[in-house]
Amino acid sequence: MQAAMDGAPPPTSPAGLSAYVAVSQLLGLTLLATTGAWLGRYRGGVAWHSPLQFNAHPLCMVLGMVFLQGDALLVYRVFRHEAKRSTKALHALLHGLALLIALVGIIAVFESHRAKGIPDMYSLHSWCGMATFVLYLLQWFLGCGFFLFPSASFSLRGWYKPQHIFFGIALFILSIASCLLGITEMLLFKISDSYSHFVPEGILANTLGVLLVAFGLVVGYVLTREEWKHPPLAEELALSMDFKTLTEGESPGGGSQ
Amino acid sequence: MQAAMDGAPPPTSPAGLSAYVAVSQLLGLTLLATTGAWLGRYRGGVAWHSPLQFNAHPLCMVLGMVFLQGDALLVYRVFRHEAKRSTKALHALLHGLALLIALVGIIAVFESHRAKGIPDMYSLHSWCGMATFVLYLLQWFLGCGFFLFPSASFSLRGWYKPQHIFFGIALFILSIASCLLGITEMLLFKISDSYSHFVPEGILANTLGVLLVAFGLVVGYVLTREEWKHPPLAEELALSMDFKTLTEGESPGGGSQ
């Protein structure tokens, strides 16, 4: 904590924020447990070099593209008073880990399709999911280039930052939507005859879908609530003063994260 | 135009906004045309008292829950300089029309299920779609109660407004996600054997899904871009001065729409 070094009391988080973050983490862990329960109880579990390889796909996508991606978005709200550089590094690291785990999940489905002779990339789920993954990778490289390695000018960073935030949240939402499509596909492939009879597997997988939506709603609420946005640190205020002299069309709040 | 009454030149919209709104409307019309093409070319068209009644469901949901709901959200960006009361009425009217059309679409699927002996409300699509519709109806009643009929106090309206905006955008996103789930379900019910062979119907319906995502992205971008948010009118500035004296915890930008 920066303020603690001056002997001042450590700055506190806004009221309510901690509770919402706690709920998001509880939902995130419930997501993972529900995915594990579905695959373990009804789909034979997960194994790599086996007919169960496909099951690594939903597990990795929920862990990487939803839970870790969501947590990577939350770091600026949770670590409000840390040095910006450390928070940025954690943000990039969590997204990098999410990308790696998602890559394993994508390899799982392509290898499993090849083993079973199923064509790739024909469904809406695959179109949405692959587009989301490729754009997420691109967003990660752009984010590193603009913000982590100080190669871009202040005015360029100021222009890119709101785009980075908008597309970051959009890709998180698209990831959740792709998961919902994947759940629907998997249920209609595996239990199409019994799904309409409200069998336990169908209800469990539907519940996983509802939990995914709930996680997205809570994370989205924490990210977009004005009062909870990241307060500018002393190091940033100095930069934004420079930035003001560089740009003309200043917009209120446009640069706040 | 208010300013025109004073003899001043009419206020202009921010650069770029008109282009994005135009693209959104082009995408919206393409959405409707693509839905019509899918149903007309591959699904036998739409008729009420017939086995084609089901087809009214996707058409009504795309028209009501996506196109009209999206346009209702855009009115505060498009009619920036009109009297707030007229814009509000248009906002409520478009949402009301969207709800009515969606209700017709919901009746279509329930009647069609009954005629064919198919159970209701077992799929993730139905869970997400029904939850979205019920919450959308609730949001509409709350919006009318808080903002259209001046029954709520200024402080209560000030508290509710950011919630109304957040849940409004969330319900729009959930509507699009529900449509994507519906497309996937319909394809796996109707062309499960040929879908993986990249048949034209599958590609057309997938394209409809991509267009739905694109419409959501453009509308979402227009709504959330800081520079394009609704400027406070003279009538609102007077109110917000009153509001400042009533509340303690003022947040920057928290009350801007």
Coordinates of all heavy atoms in Angstrom, one line a residue, chain A residues 119-125 127-128 163 166-167 170 173-174 177 180-181 183-185 188-189 195-196 198 203 205-207 209-210 213 217 220-221 224-227 229 251-254, chain B residues 119-125 127-128 163 166-167 170 173-174 177 180-181 183-185 188-189 195-196 198 203 205-207 209-210 213 217 220-221 224-227 229 251-254:
Chain A
P119 N -16.3 -32.9 -38.5 CA -15.8 -31.7 -39.2 C -15.6 -30.5 -38.1 O -16.3 -30.5 -37.1 CB -16.8 -31.3 -40.2 CG -17.7 -32.5 -40.4 CD -17.6 -33.3 -39.1
D120 N -14.7 -29.6 -38.4 CA -14.5 -28.5 -37.5 C -15.2 -27.2 -38.0 O -15.5 -27.1 -39.2 CB -13.0 -28.1 -37.5 CG -12.1 -29.2 -36.9 OD1 -12.5 -29.8 -35.9 OD2 -11.1 -29.6 -37.6
M121 N -15.4 -26.3 -37.1 CA -15.8 -24.9 -37.5 C -17.0 -24.8 -38.3 O -17.1 -23.8 -39.1 CB -14.6 -24.2 -38.2 CG -13.3 -24.1 -37.4 SD -13.5 -23.2 -35.8 CE -14.1 -21.6 -36.4
Y122 N -18.0 -25.6 -38.2 CA -19.3 -25.4 -38.9 C -20.4 -24.7 -38.1 O -21.3 -24.2 -38.7 CB -19.8 -26.8 -39.5 CG -20.2 -27.7 -38.4 CD1 -21.5 -27.7 -37.9 CD2 -19.4 -28.7 -37.9 CE1 -22.0 -28.6 -37.0 CE2 -19.8 -29.6 -36.9 CZ -21.1 -29.5 -36.5 OH -21.5 -30.3 -35.5
S123 N -20.3 -24.8 -36.8 CA -21.4 -24.4 -36.0 C -21.3 -22.9 -35.6 O -20.2 -22.3 -35.6 CB -21.5 -25.2 -34.7 OG -20.5 -24.9 -33.8
L124 N -22.4 -22.3 -35.2 CA -22.4 -20.9 -34.7 C -21.5 -20.8 -33.4 O -20.8 -19.8 -33.2 CB -23.8 -20.5 -34.4 CG -24.0 -19.0 -33.9 CD1 -23.4 -18.0 -34.9 CD2 -25.5 -18.7 -33.7
H125 N -21.5 -21.9 -32.6 CA -20.7 -21.9 -31.4 C -19.2 -21.8 -31.8 O -18.4 -21.0 -31.2 CB -20.9 -23.2 -30.6 CG -19.8 -23.5 -29.6 ND1 -19.6 -22.7 -28.5 CD2 -18.9 -24.5 -29.5 CE1 -18.6 -23.2 -27.8 NE2 -18.2 -24.3 -28.4
W127 N -17.9 -20.6 -34.6 CA -17.7 -19.3 -35.2 C -17.5 -18.2 -34.2 O -16.5 -17.4 -34.2 CB -18.8 -18.9 -36.2 CG -18.9 -19.6 -37.5 CD1 -18.4 -20.9 -37.7 CD2 -19.5 -19.2 -38.7 NE1 -18.7 -21.3 -39.0 CE2 -19.4 -20.2 -39.6 CE3 -20.1 -18.0 -39.1 CZ2 -19.8 -20.1 -40.9 CZ3 -20.6 -17.9 -40.4 CH2 -20.5 -19.0 -41.3
C128 N -18.5 -18.2 -33.2 CA -18.4 -17.2 -32.1 C -17.2 -17.4 -31.3 O -16.5 -16.5 -30.9 CB -19.7 -17.2 -31.3 SG -21.1 -16.5 -32.1
Q163 N -11.0 2.3 -26.1 CA -11.3 1.2 -27.0 C -10.9 -0.2 -26.3 O -11.7 -1.2 -26.4 CB -10.4 1.3 -28.3 CG -10.3 2.7 -28.8 CD -11.6 3.3 -29.3 OE1 -12.4 2.6 -29.8 NE2 -11.7 4.6 -29.2
F166 N -13.6 -1.0 -23.8 CA -14.9 -1.4 -24.4 C -14.7 -2.8 -25.0 O -15.6 -3.7 -24.7 CB -15.3 -0.5 -25.6 CG -16.5 -1.0 -26.3 CD1 -17.8 -0.8 -25.8 CD2 -16.4 -1.6 -27.6 CE1 -18.9 -1.3 -26.5 CE2 -17.5 -2.1 -28.3 CZ -18.7 -1.9 -27.7
F167 N -13.7 -3.1 -25.8 CA -13.5 -4.4 -26.4 C -13.2 -5.5 -25.4 O -13.5 -6.6 -25.5 CB -12.5 -4.4 -27.5 CG -13.1 -3.7 -28.8 CD1 -12.8 -2.4 -29.1 CD2 -14.0 -4.4 -29.6 CE1 -13.3 -1.8 -30.2 CE2 -14.5 -3.9 -30.7 CZ -14.2 -2.6 -31.0
A170 N -16.5 -6.4 -24.0 CA -17.3 -7.1 -25.1 C -16.8 -8.5 -25.3 O -17.6 -9.4 -25.5 CB -17.1 -6.3 -26.4
I173 N -18.1 -10.7 -22.5 CA -19.5 -11.1 -22.8 C -19.6 -12.1 -23.9 O -20.3 -13.1 -23.8 CB -20.3 -9.8 -23.2 CG1 -20.3 -8.8 -22.0 CG2 -21.7 -10.2 -23.6 CD1 -20.9 -7.5 -22.3
L174 N -18.8 -11.9 -25.0 CA -18.8 -12.9 -26.1 C -18.3 -14.3 -25.6 O -18.8 -15.3 -26.1 CB -17.9 -12.4 -27.2 CG -18.7 -11.5 -28.2 CD1 -17.7 -10.9 -29.2 CD2 -19.7 -12.3 -29.0
A177 N -21.2 -15.8 -23.9 CA -22.2 -16.2 -24.9 C -21.8 -17.5 -25.7 O -22.6 -18.4 -25.9 CB -22.5 -15.1 -25.9
L180 N -22.4 -20.5 -23.5 CA -23.9 -20.8 -23.5 C -24.2 -21.6 -24.8 O -24.9 -22.7 -24.7 CB -24.7 -19.6 -23.4 CG -24.6 -18.7 -22.2 CD1 -25.6 -17.5 -22.3 CD2 -24.8 -19.5 -20.9
L181 N -23.6 -21.2 -25.9 CA -23.9 -21.9 -27.2 C -23.3 -23.3 -27.1 O -23.9 -24.3 -27.6 CB -23.3 -21.2 -28.3 CG -23.9 -19.9 -28.7 CD1 -23.2 -19.2 -29.8 CD2 -25.4 -20.2 -29.2
I183 N -22.8 -25.2 -24.4 CA -23.6 -26.0 -23.5 C -24.8 -26.5 -24.3 O -25.2 -27.7 -24.2 CB -24.1 -25.2 -22.2 CG1 -22.9 -24.8 -21.3 CG2 -25.2 -25.9 -21.5 CD1 -23.3 -23.8 -20.2
T184 N -25.5 -25.6 -25.0 CA -26.7 -26.0 -25.8 C -26.3 -27.1 -26.8 O -27.0 -28.1 -26.9 CB -27.3 -24.8 -26.4 OG1 -27.9 -24.0 -25.4 CG2 -28.4 -25.2 -27.4
E185 N -25.2 -26.9 -27.5 CA -24.8 -27.9 -28.5 C -24.5 -29.2 -27.9 O -25.0 -30.2 -28.3 CB -23.5 -27.4 -29.1 CG -23.6 -26.7 -30.4 CD -22.3 -26.6 -31.2 OE1 -21.3 -27.3 -30.8 OE2 -22.3 -25.9 -32.2
L188 N -27.7 -31.0 -26.9 CA -28.5 -31.5 -28.0 C -27.7 -32.6 -28.7 O -28.4 -33.5 -29.4 CB -28.8 -30.4 -28.9 CG -29.8 -29.4 -28.4 CD1 -30.1 -28.3 -29.4 CD2 -31.1 -30.0 -27.9
F189 N -26.4 -32.7 -28.6 CA -25.7 -33.8 -29.2 C -25.8 -35.1 -28.3 O -25.9 -36.2 -28.8 CB -24.2 -33.5 -29.4 CG -23.9 -32.6 -30.5 CD1 -23.0 -31.6 -30.4 CD2 -24.6 -32.7 -31.7 CE1 -22.7 -30.7 -31.5 CE2 -24.3 -31.9 -32.8 CZ -23.4 -30.9 -32.7
Y195 N -33.5 -34.6 -23.0 CA -33.4 -33.2 -22.5 C -34.7 -32.6 -22.2 O -34.9 -31.9 -21.2 CB -32.6 -32.4 -23.6 CG -32.2 -31.0 -23.3 CD1 -32.0 -30.6 -21.9 CD2 -31.9 -30.0 -24.3 CE1 -31.6 -29.3 -21.6 CE2 -31.5 -28.8 -24.0 CZ -31.4 -28.4 -22.7 OH -31.0 -27.1 -22.4
S196 N -35.7 -32.9 -23.1 CA -37.0 -32.3 -22.9 C -37.8 -32.9 -21.8 O -38.9 -32.4 -21.5 CB -37.8 -32.4 -24.2 OG -38.1 -33.7 -24.5
F198 N -36.7 -33.0 -18.7 CA -36.1 -32.4 -17.5 C -35.3 -33.4 -16.7 O -35.4 -33.5 -15.5 CB -37.3 -31.8 -16.6 CG -38.0 -30.7 -17.2 CD1 -39.1 -30.9 -18.0 CD2 -37.6 -29.4 -17.0 CE1 -39.8 -29.8 -18.6 CE2 -38.3 -28.3 -17.6 CZ -39.4 -28.5 -18.4
I203 N -30.9 -30.2 -16.4 CA -31.1 -29.1 -15.4 C -29.8 -28.6 -14.9 O -29.6 -27.4 -14.7 CB -32.0 -29.6 -14.3 CG1 -33.4 -29.9 -14.9 CG2 -32.1 -28.7 -13.1 CD1 -34.4 -30.4 -13.9
A205 N -26.8 -28.7 -16.5 CA -26.1 -27.9 -17.5 C -26.8 -26.5 -17.7 O -26.2 -25.5 -17.9 CB -26.1 -28.7 -18.8
N206 N -28.2 -26.5 -17.7 CA -28.9 -25.2 -17.8 C -28.5 -24.3 -16.6 O -28.3 -23.1 -16.8 CB -30.4 -25.5 -17.7 CG -31.0 -26.0 -19.0 OD1 -30.2 -26.3 -19.9 ND2 -32.3 -26.2 -19.0
T207 N -28.3 -24.9 -15.4 CA -27.9 -24.1 -14.2 C -26.5 -23.6 -14.4 O -26.3 -22.4 -14.0 CB -28.0 -25.0 -13.0 OG1 -29.3 -25.6 -12.9 CG2 -27.7 -24.2 -11.7
G209 N -25.4 -22.7 -17.2 CA -25.6 -21.5 -18.1 C -26.1 -20.3 -17.3 O -25.6 -19.2 -17.5
V210 N -27.0 -20.5 -16.4 CA -27.5 -19.4 -15.6 C -26.4 -18.8 -14.7 O -26.3 -17.6 -14.5 CB -28.7 -19.9 -14.7 CG1 -29.1 -18.8 -13.8 CG2 -29.9 -20.3 -15.6
V213 N -24.2 -16.6 -16.7 CA -24.8 -15.3 -16.9 C -24.7 -14.4 -15.6 O -24.4 -13.2 -15.7 CB -26.3 -15.4 -17.3 CG1 -27.0 -14.1 -17.3 CG2 -26.4 -16.0 -18.7
L217 N -23.0 -10.8 -15.1 CA -23.7 -9.7 -14.6 C -23.0 -9.0 -13.4 O -22.8 -7.8 -13.4 CB -25.1 -10.1 -14.2 CG -26.1 -10.2 -15.3 CD1 -27.4 -10.8 -14.7 CD2 -26.4 -8.9 -16.0
G220 N -19.7 -7.5 -14.6 CA -20.0 -6.3 -15.5 C -20.5 -5.1 -14.6 O -20.1 -4.0 -14.8
Y221 N -21.3 -5.4 -13.5 CA -21.7 -4.4 -12.6 C -20.6 -3.7 -11.9 O -20.5 -2.5 -11.8 CB -22.7 -4.9 -11.6 CG -23.4 -3.9 -10.8 CD1 -24.5 -3.2 -11.3 CD2 -23.0 -3.6 -9.5 CE1 -25.1 -2.2 -10.6 CE2 -23.7 -2.7 -8.7 CZ -24.7 -1.9 -9.3 OH -25.4 -1.0 -8.5
T224 N -18.5 -1.5 -14.4 CA -19.1 -0.3 -15.0 C -19.7 0.7 -14.0 O -20.0 1.8 -14.4 CB -20.2 -0.7 -16.0 OG1 -21.2 -1.4 -15.3 CG2 -19.7 -1.5 -17.1
R225 N -19.8 0.4 -12.7 CA -20.3 1.3 -11.8 C -19.4 2.5 -11.6 O -18.2 2.4 -11.2 CB -20.6 0.6 -10.4 CG -21.3 1.5 -9.5 CD -21.9 0.7 -8.3 NE -22.3 1.7 -7.3 CZ -23.0 1.4 -6.3 NH1 -23.5 0.2 -6.1 NH2 -23.3 2.3 -5.4
E226 N -19.9 3.7 -11.9 CA -19.1 4.9 -11.9 C -18.3 5.1 -10.6 O -17.1 5.4 -10.6 CB -19.9 6.2 -12.1 CG -20.4 6.4 -13.5 CD -19.2 6.7 -14.5 OE1 -18.2 7.2 -14.1 OE2 -19.4 6.3 -15.7
E227 N -19.0 4.9 -9.4 CA -18.3 5.2 -8.2 C -17.2 4.3 -7.9 O -16.3 4.6 -7.0 CB -19.3 5.1 -7.0 CG -20.5 6.1 -7.1 CD -21.7 5.4 -7.8 OE1 -21.5 4.8 -8.8 OE2 -22.8 5.6 -7.2
K229 N -15.0 3.1 -10.2 CA -14.0 3.1 -11.2 C -12.7 3.5 -10.5 O -12.6 4.1 -9.5 CB -14.3 4.1 -12.3 CG -15.4 3.5 -13.2 CD -15.6 4.1 -14.5 CE -16.6 3.2 -15.3 NZ -17.1 3.9 -16.5
S251 N -12.5 14.9 -23.0 CA -13.9 14.4 -22.6 C -13.9 14.1 -21.1 O -13.0 13.5 -20.6 CB -14.2 13.2 -23.4 OG -13.4 12.1 -23.0
P252 N -15.0 14.4 -20.5 CA -15.1 14.1 -19.0 C -15.2 12.6 -18.8 O -16.0 12.0 -19.4 CB -16.4 14.8 -18.6 CG -17.2 15.0 -19.9 CD -16.2 15.1 -21.0
G253 N -14.3 12.1 -18.0 CA -14.3 10.7 -17.6 C -13.8 9.8 -18.7 O -13.7 8.6 -18.5
G254 N -13.5 10.3 -19.9 CA -13.1 9.4 -21.0 C -11.9 8.6 -20.7 O -11.6 7.6 -21.3
Chain B
P119 N -42.7 -30.5 -25.0 CA -42.7 -29.8 -23.7 C -42.1 -28.4 -23.7 O -41.4 -28.1 -24.6 CB -41.8 -30.7 -22.8 CG -41.6 -32.0 -23.6 CD -41.8 -31.6 -25.0
D120 N -42.6 -27.5 -22.8 CA -42.1 -26.2 -22.7 C -41.0 -26.0 -21.7 O -40.9 -26.8 -20.8 CB -43.2 -25.2 -22.3 CG -44.4 -25.2 -23.3 OD1 -44.1 -25.1 -24.5 OD2 -45.5 -25.3 -22.8
M121 N -40.2 -25.0 -21.9 CA -39.3 -24.4 -20.9 C -38.3 -25.4 -20.3 O -37.9 -25.4 -19.1 CB -40.1 -23.9 -19.7 CG -41.1 -22.8 -20.0 SD -40.2 -21.3 -20.7 CE -39.1 -20.9 -19.4
Y122 N -37.8 -26.4 -21.1 CA -36.8 -27.3 -20.6 C -35.4 -26.9 -21.0 O -34.4 -27.3 -20.4 CB -37.0 -28.7 -21.1 CG -36.9 -28.9 -22.6 CD1 -35.7 -29.2 -23.2 CD2 -38.0 -28.8 -23.4 CE1 -35.5 -29.3 -24.5 CE2 -37.9 -29.0 -24.8 CZ -36.7 -29.2 -25.3 OH -36.5 -29.3 -26.7
S123 N -35.2 -26.1 -22.1 CA -33.9 -25.8 -22.6 C -33.3 -24.5 -22.0 O -34.0 -23.6 -21.5 CB -34.0 -25.6 -24.1 OG -34.6 -24.4 -24.5
L124 N -32.0 -24.4 -22.2 CA -31.2 -23.2 -21.7 C -31.7 -22.0 -22.5 O -31.8 -20.9 -21.9 CB -29.7 -23.4 -21.9 CG -28.8 -22.3 -21.5 CD1 -29.0 -22.0 -20.0 CD2 -27.4 -22.6 -21.7
H125 N -32.1 -22.2 -23.8 CA -32.6 -21.1 -24.6 C -33.9 -20.5 -23.9 O -34.1 -19.3 -23.8 CB -32.9 -21.5 -26.0 CG -33.8 -20.6 -26.8 ND1 -33.4 -19.3 -27.1 CD2 -35.0 -20.8 -27.3 CE1 -34.4 -18.7 -27.8 NE2 -35.4 -19.6 -27.9
W127 N -34.9 -20.9 -20.8 CA -34.7 -20.3 -19.5 C -34.1 -18.9 -19.6 O -34.6 -18.0 -19.0 CB -33.6 -21.2 -18.7 CG -34.1 -22.5 -18.2 CD1 -35.2 -23.2 -18.7 CD2 -33.6 -23.2 -17.1 NE1 -35.3 -24.4 -17.9 CE2 -34.4 -24.4 -16.9 CE3 -32.6 -23.0 -16.2 CZ2 -34.2 -25.3 -16.0 CZ3 -32.3 -24.0 -15.2 CH2 -33.1 -25.1 -15.1
C128 N -33.1 -18.7 -20.5 CA -32.5 -17.4 -20.7 C -33.5 -16.5 -21.3 O -33.7 -15.3 -20.9 CB -31.3 -17.5 -21.6 SG -29.8 -18.2 -20.8
Q163 N -28.9 2.2 -12.3 CA -29.3 0.8 -12.3 C -30.1 0.5 -13.5 O -30.0 -0.5 -14.2 CB -30.2 0.5 -11.1 CG -29.8 1.1 -9.7 CD -28.5 0.6 -9.2 OE1 -28.1 -0.5 -9.5 NE2 -27.7 1.5 -8.5
F166 N -27.7 0.3 -16.5 CA -26.9 -1.0 -16.5 C -27.8 -2.2 -16.9 O -27.5 -2.9 -17.7 CB -26.3 -1.2 -15.1 CG -25.6 -2.6 -15.0 CD1 -24.4 -2.8 -15.5 CD2 -26.3 -3.7 -14.4 CE1 -23.8 -4.0 -15.5 CE2 -25.7 -4.9 -14.3 CZ -24.4 -5.1 -14.9
F167 N -29.0 -2.3 -16.2 CA -29.8 -3.4 -16.5 C -30.5 -3.3 -17.9 O -30.7 -4.4 -18.6 CB -30.9 -3.6 -15.4 CG -30.3 -4.2 -14.2 CD1 -30.1 -3.5 -13.1 CD2 -30.0 -5.6 -14.2 CE1 -29.5 -4.0 -11.9 CE2 -29.4 -6.2 -13.1 CZ -29.2 -5.4 -11.9
A170 N -27.7 -4.7 -20.1 CA -27.6 -6.1 -19.8 C -28.7 -6.9 -20.4 O -28.5 -8.0 -21.0 CB -27.6 -6.3 -18.3
I173 N -28.2 -7.2 -24.1 CA -27.2 -8.3 -24.4 C -27.8 -9.7 -24.2 O -27.5 -10.6 -25.0 CB -25.9 -8.1 -23.5 CG1 -25.2 -6.8 -23.8 CG2 -24.9 -9.3 -23.6 CD1 -24.2 -6.3 -22.8
L174 N -28.5 -9.9 -23.1 CA -29.1 -11.2 -22.8 C -30.1 -11.5 -23.9 O -30.3 -12.7 -24.3 CB -29.8 -11.1 -21.5 CG -29.0 -11.5 -20.3 CD1 -29.7 -11.2 -19.0 CD2 -28.6 -13.0 -20.4
A177 N -28.0 -12.9 -26.7 CA -27.5 -14.2 -26.4 C -28.6 -15.2 -26.5 O -28.4 -16.3 -27.0 CB -26.9 -14.2 -25.0
L180 N -29.1 -16.1 -30.1 CA -28.0 -17.0 -30.6 C -28.3 -18.5 -30.1 O -28.1 -19.4 -30.9 CB -26.6 -16.6 -30.0 CG -26.1 -15.2 -30.4 CD1 -24.8 -15.0 -29.8 CD2 -26.1 -15.0 -31.9
L181 N -28.7 -18.6 -28.9 CA -29.1 -20.0 -28.4 C -30.3 -20.6 -29.2 O -30.3 -21.8 -29.5 CB -29.5 -19.9 -26.9 CG -28.4 -19.7 -25.9 CD1 -28.9 -19.5 -24.5 CD2 -27.4 -20.8 -26.0
I183 N -31.0 -19.9 -32.4 CA -30.6 -20.3 -33.7 C -29.9 -21.6 -33.6 O -30.2 -22.5 -34.4 CB -29.6 -19.2 -34.2 CG1 -30.3 -17.9 -34.5 CG2 -28.8 -19.7 -35.5 CD1 -29.3 -16.7 -34.8
T184 N -29.0 -21.8 -32.6 CA -28.3 -23.1 -32.5 C -29.3 -24.2 -32.2 O -29.2 -25.3 -32.9 CB -27.3 -23.0 -31.3 OG1 -26.2 -22.1 -31.7 CG2 -26.7 -24.3 -30.9
E185 N -30.3 -24.0 -31.4 CA -31.3 -25.1 -31.1 C -32.0 -25.4 -32.4 O -32.2 -26.6 -32.7 CB -32.3 -24.5 -30.1 CG -32.1 -24.9 -28.7 CD -33.4 -24.7 -27.9 OE1 -34.4 -24.4 -28.4 OE2 -33.2 -24.8 -26.6
L188 N -29.9 -27.4 -34.8 CA -29.7 -28.8 -34.4 C -31.0 -29.6 -34.4 O -30.9 -30.8 -34.5 CB -29.0 -28.8 -33.0 CG -27.6 -28.3 -33.0 CD1 -27.0 -28.3 -31.6 CD2 -26.7 -29.0 -34.0
F189 N -32.1 -29.0 -34.3 CA -33.4 -29.7 -34.4 C -33.7 -30.0 -35.9 O -34.2 -31.1 -36.2 CB -34.6 -28.9 -33.8 CG -34.6 -28.9 -32.3 CD1 -34.9 -27.7 -31.6 CD2 -34.3 -30.0 -31.6 CE1 -34.9 -27.7 -30.2 CE2 -34.3 -30.0 -30.2 CZ -34.6 -28.9 -29.5
Y195 N -25.9 -30.1 -41.0 CA -25.3 -28.8 -40.5 C -23.8 -28.9 -40.6 O -23.1 -27.9 -41.0 CB -25.7 -28.6 -39.0 CG -25.4 -27.3 -38.4 CD1 -25.1 -26.1 -39.1 CD2 -25.3 -27.2 -37.0 CE1 -24.9 -24.9 -38.5 CE2 -25.1 -26.0 -36.3 CZ -24.8 -24.9 -37.1 OH -24.5 -23.7 -36.5
S196 N -23.2 -30.1 -40.3 CA -21.7 -30.2 -40.2 C -21.1 -30.2 -41.6 O -19.9 -30.2 -41.8 CB -21.3 -31.4 -39.4 OG -21.7 -32.6 -40.1
F198 N -21.6 -27.9 -43.9 CA -21.6 -26.5 -44.4 C -22.7 -26.3 -45.4 O -22.4 -25.7 -46.4 CB -20.2 -26.2 -44.9 CG -19.2 -26.1 -43.9 CD1 -18.5 -27.3 -43.6 CD2 -18.9 -25.0 -43.2 CE1 -17.5 -27.3 -42.6 CE2 -17.9 -24.9 -42.2 CZ -17.2 -26.1 -41.9
I203 N -25.0 -22.0 -43.0 CA -24.2 -20.8 -43.1 C -25.0 -19.6 -43.0 O -24.6 -18.6 -42.4 CB -23.4 -20.9 -44.5 CG1 -22.4 -22.0 -44.4 CG2 -22.7 -19.6 -44.8 CD1 -21.6 -22.3 -45.6
A205 N -27.8 -19.2 -41.3 CA -28.3 -19.0 -39.9 C -27.1 -18.6 -39.0 O -27.2 -17.7 -38.1 CB -28.9 -20.3 -39.4
N206 N -25.9 -19.2 -39.3 CA -24.7 -18.7 -38.6 C -24.4 -17.2 -38.8 O -24.1 -16.5 -37.9 CB -23.5 -19.5 -39.0 CG -23.4 -20.9 -38.5 OD1 -24.3 -21.3 -37.7 ND2 -22.4 -21.7 -38.8
T207 N -24.6 -16.8 -40.1 CA -24.4 -15.4 -40.5 C -25.4 -14.5 -39.7 O -25.0 -13.4 -39.3 CB -24.5 -15.2 -42.0 OG1 -23.7 -16.2 -42.6 CG2 -24.2 -13.8 -42.4
G209 N -26.4 -15.1 -36.8 CA -25.9 -15.0 -35.4 C -24.8 -14.0 -35.4 O -24.7 -13.1 -34.5
V210 N -23.9 -14.0 -36.4 CA -22.8 -13.0 -36.5 C -23.3 -11.6 -36.6 O -22.8 -10.6 -36.0 CB -21.8 -13.3 -37.6 CG1 -20.8 -12.3 -37.8 CG2 -21.2 -14.7 -37.4
V213 N -24.6 -10.3 -33.2 CA -23.4 -9.9 -32.4 C -22.9 -8.5 -32.9 O -22.7 -7.6 -32.1 CB -22.3 -10.9 -32.5 CG1 -21.0 -10.4 -31.8 CG2 -22.7 -12.2 -31.8
L217 N -22.7 -5.1 -30.8 CA -21.4 -4.4 -30.6 C -21.5 -2.9 -31.0 O -21.1 -2.0 -30.3 CB -20.3 -5.0 -31.5 CG -19.7 -6.3 -30.9 CD1 -18.7 -6.9 -31.9 CD2 -18.9 -6.0 -29.6
G220 N -23.9 -1.1 -28.6 CA -23.2 -1.0 -27.3 C -22.1 0.0 -27.3 O -21.9 0.8 -26.4
Y221 N -21.4 0.2 -28.4 CA -20.3 1.2 -28.6 C -20.9 2.6 -28.5 O -20.4 3.5 -27.8 CB -19.5 0.9 -29.9 CG -18.3 1.8 -30.0 CD1 -17.1 1.4 -29.3 CD2 -18.3 2.9 -30.8 CE1 -16.0 2.2 -29.4 CE2 -17.2 3.7 -30.9 CZ -16.0 3.4 -30.2 OH -14.9 4.1 -30.3
T224 N -22.1 3.4 -24.9 CA -21.1 3.6 -23.8 C -20.0 4.5 -24.0 O -19.2 4.8 -23.1 CB -20.5 2.2 -23.5 OG1 -19.9 1.6 -24.7 CG2 -21.6 1.2 -23.0
R225 N -19.9 5.0 -25.3 CA -18.8 6.0 -25.6 C -19.0 7.3 -24.8 O -20.0 7.9 -25.0 CB -18.7 6.2 -27.1 CG -17.4 7.0 -27.4 CD -17.0 6.9 -28.8 NE -16.1 8.0 -29.1 CZ -15.4 8.1 -30.2 NH1 -15.6 7.2 -31.2 NH2 -14.6 9.1 -30.4
E226 N -18.0 7.6 -23.9 CA -18.2 8.8 -23.0 C -18.5 10.1 -23.8 O -19.4 10.8 -23.4 CB -16.9 9.0 -22.3 CG -16.6 8.1 -21.1 CD -17.7 8.3 -20.0 OE1 -18.2 9.4 -19.8 OE2 -17.9 7.3 -19.3
E227 N -17.8 10.3 -24.9 CA -18.0 11.6 -25.6 C -19.4 11.7 -26.2 O -19.9 12.8 -26.5 CB -17.0 11.8 -26.8 CG -15.6 11.8 -26.3 CD -15.0 10.4 -26.4 OE1 -15.6 9.5 -25.9 OE2 -13.8 10.3 -26.9
K229 N -22.2 10.5 -24.7 CA -23.3 10.5 -23.8 C -24.2 11.7 -23.8 O -23.7 12.8 -24.3 CB -22.8 10.2 -22.4 CG -22.2 8.8 -22.3 CD -22.1 8.3 -20.9 CE -21.7 6.8 -21.0 NZ -21.2 6.2 -19.7
S251 N -21.2 11.5 -7.2 CA -20.2 10.8 -8.0 C -20.0 11.4 -9.4 O -21.0 11.8 -10.0 CB -20.6 9.3 -8.2 OG -21.7 9.3 -9.1
P252 N -18.8 11.6 -9.9 CA -18.6 12.2 -11.2 C -19.2 11.4 -12.3 O -18.8 10.2 -12.4 CB -17.0 12.3 -11.3 CG -16.5 11.2 -10.4 CD -17.5 11.0 -9.3
G253 N -20.1 12.0 -13.0 CA -20.6 11.3 -14.2 C -21.7 10.2 -13.9 O -22.3 9.7 -14.8
G254 N -21.9 10.0 -12.6 CA -22.9 8.9 -12.2 C -24.3 9.2 -12.7 O -25.0 8.3 -12.9

